[in-house]
Amino acid sequence: MPELPEVETVRAGLEQALRGARIRCVEMHRTSLRFPLPEDFAAYLEGERLNAFRRRGKYLLIELENKGLLLAHLGMSGRFTVLPPELPPEQGGWSRTRHDHIIFHMQGGTRLVYTDPRRFGLMDLIRDGNWREHRLLASMGIEPLGNAMNGAFLARAAQNRRMPLKSFLLDQRIIAGLGNIYVCEALYRARLSPRRMAHTLGQGARPGLRAERLARAITQVLREAIAAGGSSLRDYAQSNGELGYFQHAFTVYGREGEPCRTKGCKARIAKITQSGRSSFFCPHCQR
DNA sequence: AGCTCGACCTGCACGC
DNA sequence: TGCGTGCAGGTCGAGC
């Protein structure tokens, strides 16, 4: 269920559990996720050390010692689980079920399991380590928690876009990492309607004001979600099969018909469909 | 060039 | 209980 904060939580958890670990072998139960895996995927990785765990948007980049990078995206339903060295199932050990597609066996017996019921996730090898030119990464937009993120950037990026703000913010070529939930939450905080046309962001009596509000809202929402996700890292590291995903107390997402939480507002949260996805917002507070 | 929409998958909650 | 329907946190790429 990963948007940027969840992927960042996974990244930090993997780093804590597996940095420096060496792959002994890779057990494949699928040759294809969203895309076919490289034919030599398992063989290529065997013997490699995992040097570092990075993130770009919603992608995980796992740095190998000598052979470039392992790229992974969790899609809608992907997750990684770290398991301690094997115990027999009758002693509480783990046993594979049908959506556990890839098992990385580390030296020392720790295992990393990739599970993904819907198989919208992907993995690939970036053999030369030059991830910026990878076809899936080359046209990605800015990191929303990076230095480039501010009102001026948003206003400039939006100025010729004749599309709703919702679609604008979901476009990974502009900002990399936002998904349906955090876009809804950020727009609520910025008091901007998901239906507002993107190019109007910089209009009004004080140009830049709306864009500034939106930039701040995005940054805040993501930071808070990561901070809260971080607190579940212990569960993650215990690897009890639960990722300990951040269960955010969402302010608008999934709250159709419930009261708006803005003080003094009597309106109820509305749900509309925009480019095939649900948007939740307060029709009174968000303009 | 920019935008919308279908397609890719499985599981689950719901109504009949 | 069983079945059909719609929906789900993503995104690529065809087609307008």
Side-chain angles (χ1 to χ4, degrees):
Chain A
M1 309 143 179
E3 297 183 30
L4 187 151
E6 290 75 25
V7 177
E8 177 56 28
T9 300
V10 169
R11 186 207 63 75
L14 291 178
E15 173 134 308
Q16 185 180 303
L18 292 174
R19 182 158 69 163
R22 192 177 294 279
I23 296 173
R24 196 189 43 159
C25 66
V26 183
E27 182 184 335
M28 317 260 307
H29 295 273
R30 283 263 168 201
T31 56
S32 181
L33 295 169
R34 182 184 174 91
F35 303 111
L37 290 152
E39 266 178 42
D40 60 343
F41 186 79
Y44 186 88
L45 291 171
E46 280 167 21
E48 271 302 284
R49 206 178 92 117
L50 308 181
N51 267 7
F53 297 79
R54 307 194 189 286
R55 179 189 58 72
R56 174 78 172 100
K58 299 174 198 171
Y59 287 88
L60 285 167
L61 293 159
I62 302 173
E63 263 186 40
L64 307 171
E65 187 174 25
N66 301 309
K67 294 166 87 173
L69 301 159
L70 169 59
L71 176 72
H73 191 293
L74 304 175
M76 293 274 256
S77 58
R79 59 180 200 266
F80 279 110
T81 310
V82 179
L83 297 169
E86 201 129 14
L87 276 181
E90 61 274 16
Q91 290 178 35
W94 174 84
S95 57
R96 196 184 87 86
T97 53
R98 66 202 224 94
H99 299 304
D100 301 324
H101 304 307
I102 302 179
I103 306 169
F104 301 84
H105 294 267
M106 303 297 159
Q107 282 180 10
T110 298
R111 291 156 293 168
L112 173 65
V113 182
Y114 181 70
T115 309
D116 189 355
R118 294 177 73 177
R119 278 180 272 134
F120 286 175
L122 68 89
M123 288 192 206
D124 199 6
L125 300 169
I126 305 179
R127 299 173 199 253
D128 63 3
N130 185 8
W131 58 267
R132 286 171 206 280
E133 288 177 15
H134 189 278
R135 71 177 183 98
L136 298 170
L137 304 175
S139 58
M140 291 186 73
I142 65 162
E143 282 294 320
L145 295 176
N147 292 333
M149 178 60 162
N150 55 46
F153 169 83
L154 287 181
R156 187 160 24 86
Q159 68 186 352
N160 292 318
R161 302 274 172 169
R162 320 203 74 85
M163 59 181 0
L165 269 184
K166 176 69 184 299
S167 315
F168 172 76
L169 294 176
L170 280 176
D171 189 337
Q172 304 295 300
R173 293 167 303 182
I174 303 165
I175 304 171
L178 294 178
N180 205 30
I181 292 179
Y182 294 106
V183 167
C184 290
E185 296 296 320
L187 285 170
Y188 172 77
R189 286 200 192 200
R191 307 194 310 279
L192 293 167
S193 168
R195 290 194 277 218
R196 171 184 282 277
M197 286 294 129
H199 71 273
T200 68
L201 207 54
Q203 297 175 358
R206 292 180 50 193
L209 186 68
R210 287 194 193 105
E212 205 52 61
R213 240 163 51 206
L214 182 55
R216 243 195 311 269
I218 290 168
T219 308
Q220 275 179 10
V221 145
L222 295 179
R223 280 196 201 289
E224 286 174 27
I226 289 171
S231 66
S232 63
L233 269 186
R234 200 178 332 164
D235 294 341
Y236 179 84
Q238 279 171 4
S239 306
N240 51 12
E242 297 296 317
L243 259 189
Y245 270 136
F246 173 41
Q247 295 294 308
H248 192 69
F250 300 125
T251 313
V252 284
Y253 187 84
R255 294 192 63 242
E256 182 188 13
E258 294 175 41
C260 172
R261 292 197 177 134
T262 298
K263 208 174 168 190
C265 178
K266 299 279 203 296
R268 289 176 181 277
I269 301 305
K271 175 184 175 180
I272 59 172
T273 300
Q274 293 180 288
S275 46
R277 329 234 14 222
S278 295
S279 295
F280 297 87
F281 70 111
C282 173
H284 178 76
C285 298
Q286 294 176 248
R287 295 299 169 136

